[in-house]
Amino acid sequence: MADRADAHIHLFEGGYRSSFTGRPGVQVDEAALYDSLAREHGVRRALVVGYADAPWCRGNNAWILARASEYAWARPLAYADPLDPPDLPALERLGAGGAVGLSLYILGEERAAGLARVPAAAWGWLAERGWLVSVNSRPALWPAWEAVLRQHPGLRLLAAHLGQPPRAGRPPATRAAADALAGLIALARYPGVHVKVSGFYAFSEPGFAYPHRAVWPYVEALLAAFGPERLLWASDYSPCLDMVSFPQTLGLLAEMPFLGAAERRAIEGGNLLALLGAE
């Protein structure tokens, strides 16, 4: 089995409260369950995307950092708010605690504008150390990264979930798919920008319509812009379990006729392992 690497999972103490693990009667140790899935499916590394923007998960950074010492696959990305960005000593402490990057949620205009408030020294620190910056954002907000990337073109920015395109019940035309993601595609000229091939259930109507053919034109548009070497498979565990099984998050790549075997191997693991410097 080829080595795989998962570019986007979530782990919360007590489980994620807005999805499968938060349903009545469900009690899940998310980390232990993921460990069993990782062993079964050959996942060597997983980026644990921090989220601490709700009262119930304020301590998520500490939680995921602790998991890094428990599980060899865990590579934490600490949650950060651009309206209250960590200073350099805080970044150093996160790195000493096991973090390999940051997780940002830029879902509104205020936080998009807040990117300009992050000190240039902080962006420089992240770029120089090769830290990964995972970003959840909407199509209209990706241009906010232009000013940052112009100054730090090598910043390793990982756009989550295909850049969050519009939901589709049927495959959009090629031009429409590219236009929907134009803001993200414009960032392809910066070599550090990568895109996570994930979250198909969130953009397919209905969400359980595996293998989500309605979303494939978005993948083709991103493939044309970024090439297979800058696309990263991600499961979006554990929220994905509401709509699909963990193996299906991998299996859908093999369903896509425009991806060859070598391209799938790179997307499923090789690309992220190279970013992490994993042997």
Side-chain angles (χ1 to χ4, degrees):
M1 181 183 297
D3 287 333
R4 292 179 170 133
D6 193 336
H8 197 108
I9 76 167
H10 297 283
L11 298 177
F12 294 97
E13 185 174 11
Y16 180 50
R17 296 196 185 177
S18 298
S19 188
F20 172 77
T21 54
R23 290 182 179 273
V26 176
Q27 292 184 321
V28 176
D29 181 332
E30 287 180 327
L33 175 56
Y34 189 85
D35 184 57
S36 70
L37 292 168
R39 285 185 278 107
E40 182 176 348
H41 296 284
V43 179
R44 286 181 55 197
R45 300 286 184 270
L47 300 183
V48 186
V49 177
Y51 182 75
D53 200 31
W56 64 270
C57 58
R58 293 288 187 230
N60 190 236
N61 279 348
W63 174 256
I64 64 175
L65 289 173
R67 304 288 75 73
S69 61
E70 186 176 0
Y71 296 104
W73 44 261
R75 294 295 182 272
L77 306 180
Y79 176 81
D81 184 347
L83 300 179
D84 184 24
D87 57 19
L88 295 185
L91 290 172
E92 294 281 4
R93 288 193 296 272
L94 288 170
V100 299
L102 297 180
S103 162
L104 280 71
Y105 281 71
I106 311 297
L107 301 176
E109 297 289 349
E110 184 180 17
R111 281 186 172 146
L115 293 174
R117 293 169 46 181
V118 177
W123 295 125
W125 189 98
L126 295 168
E128 289 168 10
R129 285 158 180 79
W131 269 33
L132 307 179
V133 181
S134 175
V135 180
N136 283 58
S137 194
R138 298 186 289 106
L141 301 177
W142 288 110
W145 286 94
E146 281 280 357
V148 176
L149 291 165
R150 203 175 301 122
Q151 295 297 316
H152 307 281
L155 183 71
R156 290 175 162 182
L157 188 154
L158 312 184
H161 308 326
L162 305 170
Q164 297 190 200
R167 290 181 71 97
R170 62 183 63 183
T174 299
R175 171 55 61 186
D179 287 347
L181 292 170
L184 175 58
I185 288 173
L187 304 181
R189 64 179 175 273
Y190 299 106
V193 180
H194 294 65
V195 182
K196 302 180 189 183
V197 182
S198 61
F200 289 79
Y201 68 91
F203 312 111
S204 177
E205 185 62 51
F208 55 79
Y210 179 87
H212 312 296
R213 287 186 174 86
V215 184
W216 290 7
Y218 296 131
V219 181
E220 292 181 276
L222 294 168
L223 181 65
F226 290 89
E229 67 277 4
R230 287 199 280 159
L231 300 184
L232 311 170
W233 163 71
S235 67
D236 195 29
Y237 173 92
S238 66
C240 68
L241 299 179
D242 262 347
M243 293 291 174
V244 296
S245 69
F246 185 84
Q248 285 177 318
T249 70
L250 277 161
L252 64 83
L253 296 180
E255 299 278 354
M256 297 177 183
F258 49 85
L259 289 177
E263 291 172 322
R264 291 199 307 272
R265 284 194 297 272
I267 294 168
E268 289 182 11
N271 294 338
L272 179 55
L273 291 173
L275 285 174
L276 291 169
E279 297 179 358

